[in-house]
Amino acid sequence: MSAEPTTTFAQPGLAIPYPLLLVAELSYVCPLKCPYCSNPTSIVGARRSQELATEEWSRVFHEAGKLGVLQLALTGGEPLLRKDLEELCSAGRDAGMYSTLVTSAVPGLADRVAGLKDAGLDHVQISIQHADPEKSELIGGAVSFQQKLDAAAATRELGMPLTINVVLHRLNLDDLDAIIELAASLGARRLELANTQYHGWAKLNRQALLPTREQVVRGEETVLRARERYGARMEILWVLPDMFEDLPKPCMGGWASDAIIIDPNGRALPCQSAATLTDLPVEHVREQTLEQIWFDSESFNKYRGTAWMQDACVTCPLQRQHVDHGGCRCQALALTGDAANTDPVCHLSPHHGDLVAMRDGELAVPVAERPELVYRTTARPRA
Amino acid sequence: MSGALPTSEHRPTLASGVRLHHDAIRERHVLLFPEGALVLNETAAAVLALCDGVRTIDDIAAELAPQFGGADVRADVAELVAGIAAEGLMDRDDER
């Protein structure tokens, strides 16, 4: 090891816990084109040759295990596009982490899942776009429905735990009952129902995807009824839509408090949308160890604690600055122009009125006049 | 759900997809499962390490007794297994 003194951006006196979760985005490329994707729109032109190599990921997993990370999410883009996924599962297991494959199930998870399990994969999480095959493919922009069903069945046949996740929006909220039934029939132990967070491609498609308040209220009622029906057989998570809330979520449980995200090319970030924070310094696993990035880097320390907060949070009459940590930095930047502002979802934010006006303005546009979906892609447009 | 304690002949085993792990940096044992972790004390970790679907509750209690001065720990083992089962982390008979 080098004996050079370490530069640290850690704030004196602020305790930093060890991380619990590593999100490994293995590739930006994806066979699906979901317009609600939270990946940054800057992924257009992403090249697979720039992705981290097998041995680089293995080293990162090893460092993560040493650093106390317990959960590993293998995601993308589509992680199944990595030919070395079996090796990466095995590296995750060797590092002591519990691994989850977060996948569209395309291409070909059904045929590959047994080998992935043998290599060390613990848990499979499959996305569903809709309970109806045609609508599913309209939202996902690709033929995939049957492959998802086959992969879910193959996963359950192996006795592996299965989670189904569904991102909710105007085009599928009214069919929530059928979606829940589908997840149960596939043998899901957990069902994550997450209303769209408007980052990346989803921000581009906000007008097309934004549901009405009535849709959201009915959706929540549907979830409450389903929880009674399924009890402990299937855990149903419901992630509220920010646009209709007046208190922010504790985004990521606080900035850099338990998770590290590594993008396909090796950039380390404190959240999956943080690449949208254009002035955030770049930390790269090819240049630093995870330990250095976690404890000492500028970007991971930037919004830790409360010292960076603006007045609305510092003087919070609800004392929520230690509860919700000021909400989401990416949303603050996207909607107020400054990532250090209080999340405008908060009714105490001076920008909350702007968010309400924007939301109501977009909802006032008749559905027929809403823009068409812009599908996610990594391909450059042809000249 | 919770309530009924397992019988002395029950052969407990962790549910599929649940793993016992030693969290070295935090110096503790945890149970890992989808999207979560449950922190265990030393006794719980020792019991769960023996929940292999072969040993009965009585076997496990007998094996651990020397660590507790020869005390009869059958009730403690059964309660712990019931508690972990209530979290959905033990194999359920109806799933076999």
Side-chain angles (χ1 to χ4, degrees), chain B residues 4 9 13 17 20 28 50 83 85-86 96:
Chain B
E9 291 308 308
T13 183
L20 192 59
R28 63 191 192 184
L50 298 177
R96 284 194 198 147

Short mmCIF file of all heavy atoms in Angstrom, two decimals, chain B residues 4 9 13 17 20 28 50 83 85-86 96:
data_model
loop_
_atom_site.label_atom_id
_atom_site.label_comp_id
_atom_site.label_asym_id
_atom_site.label_seq_id
_atom_site.Cartn_x
_atom_site.Cartn_y
_atom_site.Cartn_z
N ALA B 4 -48.01 -21.22 18.05
CA ALA B 4 -47.69 -22.62 18.35
C ALA B 4 -46.19 -22.86 18.33
O ALA B 4 -45.50 -22.49 17.38
CB ALA B 4 -48.39 -23.52 17.34
N GLU B 9 -40.00 -33.15 18.22
CA GLU B 9 -39.56 -33.98 17.09
C GLU B 9 -39.44 -33.19 15.78
O GLU B 9 -39.04 -33.74 14.76
CB GLU B 9 -40.53 -35.16 16.89
CG GLU B 9 -40.48 -36.18 18.01
CD GLU B 9 -39.05 -36.65 18.29
OE1 GLU B 9 -38.36 -37.06 17.32
OE2 GLU B 9 -38.60 -36.56 19.45
N THR B 13 -35.58 -26.12 9.60
CA THR B 13 -34.57 -25.73 8.62
C THR B 13 -34.92 -24.34 8.11
O THR B 13 -36.09 -23.96 8.09
CB THR B 13 -34.48 -26.77 7.47
OG1 THR B 13 -33.43 -26.39 6.58
CG2 THR B 13 -35.77 -26.85 6.68
N GLY B 17 -33.55 -19.69 0.30
CA GLY B 17 -33.21 -18.30 0.07
C GLY B 17 -32.87 -17.53 1.33
O GLY B 17 -32.73 -16.32 1.30
N LEU B 20 -27.45 -17.99 6.81
CA LEU B 20 -26.75 -17.51 8.01
C LEU B 20 -25.40 -16.95 7.57
O LEU B 20 -24.72 -17.56 6.76
CB LEU B 20 -26.57 -18.71 8.95
CG LEU B 20 -26.13 -18.48 10.38
CD1 LEU B 20 -27.09 -17.58 11.13
CD2 LEU B 20 -26.02 -19.83 11.08
N ARG B 28 -20.86 -9.64 14.23
CA ARG B 28 -22.16 -10.20 14.62
C ARG B 28 -22.61 -11.20 13.57
O ARG B 28 -22.14 -11.17 12.42
CB ARG B 28 -23.19 -9.07 14.78
CG ARG B 28 -23.44 -8.36 13.45
CD ARG B 28 -24.26 -7.09 13.62
NE ARG B 28 -24.68 -6.64 12.28
CZ ARG B 28 -25.34 -5.53 12.05
NH1 ARG B 28 -25.66 -4.72 13.02
NH2 ARG B 28 -25.70 -5.20 10.82
N LEU B 50 -27.52 -25.11 13.55
CA LEU B 50 -27.83 -26.55 13.67
C LEU B 50 -29.18 -26.90 13.04
O LEU B 50 -29.57 -28.07 13.01
CB LEU B 50 -27.82 -26.96 15.15
CG LEU B 50 -26.47 -26.79 15.85
CD1 LEU B 50 -26.60 -27.16 17.33
CD2 LEU B 50 -25.38 -27.63 15.18
N GLY B 83 -39.97 -18.05 16.78
CA GLY B 83 -39.81 -16.62 16.50
C GLY B 83 -39.29 -16.37 15.09
O GLY B 83 -39.78 -15.49 14.38
N ALA B 85 -39.55 -18.45 12.63
CA ALA B 85 -40.62 -18.90 11.72
C ALA B 85 -41.68 -17.82 11.55
O ALA B 85 -42.20 -17.62 10.45
CB ALA B 85 -41.26 -20.19 12.24
N ALA B 86 -41.95 -17.09 12.64
CA ALA B 86 -42.95 -16.01 12.56
C ALA B 86 -42.50 -14.91 11.61
O ALA B 86 -43.32 -14.18 11.05
CB ALA B 86 -43.22 -15.46 13.95
N ARG B 96 -43.33 -27.95 1.86
CA ARG B 96 -42.42 -29.04 1.53
C ARG B 96 -42.99 -29.93 0.44
O ARG B 96 -44.19 -30.01 0.26
CB ARG B 96 -42.14 -29.87 2.77
CG ARG B 96 -41.16 -29.10 3.62
CD ARG B 96 -40.55 -29.94 4.70
NE ARG B 96 -40.00 -29.07 5.69
CZ ARG B 96 -39.96 -29.37 6.97
NH1 ARG B 96 -40.44 -30.49 7.41
NH2 ARG B 96 -39.42 -28.54 7.82
#
